Amino acid sequence: MKIATLIGSTRTNGNTELLTDIAMEGIKHQKIYLKELSIRPIEDLRHSEGGFQIVEDDYDQIIKIFLENDIIVFATPIYWYSMSGIMKNMVDRFSHAIRDERYPQFKERLKTIETIVIAVGGDKPRIKGMPLIQQFQYTFDFLNMHFSSFIIGEAGRPGDILKDEQALSQANILNNKLKLLQNSGKSKQE
């Protein structure tokens, strides 16, 4: 059972990353900072002659992450009641990736991946962040990916997430679930 976290924050050690770290504590996983990758915005060529063209950026690393992992955690601050721009840019490129002839197995592989969303915001996020969760749900439904759970935390200033007992409790529950999954996966492989 391989797990990767996609950190969609532009701030290092921000509240979203802190909550994600609590959920992933003691779990072997790959942590990817989207802010460190160069991912160009999508140029929608679905209906153009020749279709999408190869883009010279780091998106192939994202495709590789999806091909190599069983669970993907999408961790994003709630920016203006949606996911961060760098996360949205990465998600938009799925339109290209599912049509990329270099990765014919990509679309089928997505159907086997379990997804989790961790989001943190400051303006009543458990209410105002629900459209973000719905946006992820629709995206995962379109790609036939399994959306297993989400956590919404409330925090404004750096470190405030550590005061959100509900989010911390949910992160600990998720941590225990993922540890069980990883341990059961190891015993099957041995």
Side-chain angles (χ1 to χ4, degrees):
M1 178 75 48
K2 294 180 75 177
I3 303 172
T5 59
L6 300 172
I7 307 296
S9 179
T10 57
R11 182 189 311 155
T12 303
N13 297 316
N15 288 304
T16 304
E17 185 176 354
L18 287 174
L19 185 58
T20 303
D21 287 347
I22 291 166
M24 301 307 295
E25 186 175 336
I27 296 171
K28 184 178 178 188
H29 68 285
Q30 181 181 10
K31 188 175 187 179
I32 300 93
Y33 292 93
L34 295 179
K35 70 178 183 172
E36 294 176 357
L37 299 177
S38 172
I39 300 175
R40 296 187 59 207
I42 190 164
E43 181 180 357
D44 189 354
L45 299 172
R46 286 176 293 165
H47 307 292
S48 301
E49 191 173 322
F52 287 106
Q53 305 299 310
I54 294 174
V55 178
E56 296 296 327
D57 67 1
D58 295 331
Y59 201 79
D60 286 356
Q61 292 178 42
I62 297 295
I63 292 173
K64 185 177 176 185
I65 289 160
F66 280 86
L67 291 174
E68 294 177 351
N69 289 278
D70 305 298
I71 298 174
I72 306 288
V73 178
F74 292 75
T76 181
I78 302 173
Y79 287 160
W80 291 103
Y81 314 102
S82 187
M83 65 184 78
S84 68
I86 57 176
M87 177 73 70
K88 181 69 167 85
N89 196 39
M90 188 267 309
V91 169
D92 284 350
R93 288 285 296 280
F94 277 131
S95 293
H96 184 187
I98 61 175
R99 294 169 177 83
D100 193 325
E101 294 176 1
R102 297 172 302 151
Y103 302 101
Q105 74 282 28
F106 184 68
K107 193 172 181 179
E108 285 302 309
R109 173 68 178 126
L110 292 178
K111 295 177 184 179
T112 69
I113 294 174
E114 180 178 339
T115 60
I116 297 166
V117 173
I118 298 176
V120 177
D123 182 16
K124 299 180 184 172
R126 288 185 183 86
I127 296 169
K128 296 180 179 182
M130 288 310 294
L132 163 67
I133 299 303
Q134 190 173 42
Q135 180 182 23
F136 273 112
Q137 177 71 64
Y138 290 150
T139 299
F140 299 147
D141 286 349
F142 183 85
L143 296 169
N144 295 302
M145 297 170 73
H146 176 65
F147 185 19
S148 68
S149 63
F150 66 90
I151 300 170
I152 297 178
E154 184 168 2
R157 300 190 52 76
D160 279 356
I161 193 61
L162 300 175
K163 300 173 189 172
D164 184 342
E165 292 181 19
Q166 181 178 338
L168 296 175
S169 176
Q170 290 174 320
N172 285 316
I173 291 168
L174 177 59
N175 180 270
N176 289 329
K177 175 189 167 194
L178 292 175
K179 283 179 179 172
L180 285 171
L181 283 172
Q182 238 179 15
N183 289 335
S184 68
K186 286 180 185 175
S187 63
K188 290 177 186 176
Q189 293 171 354
E190 295 174 341

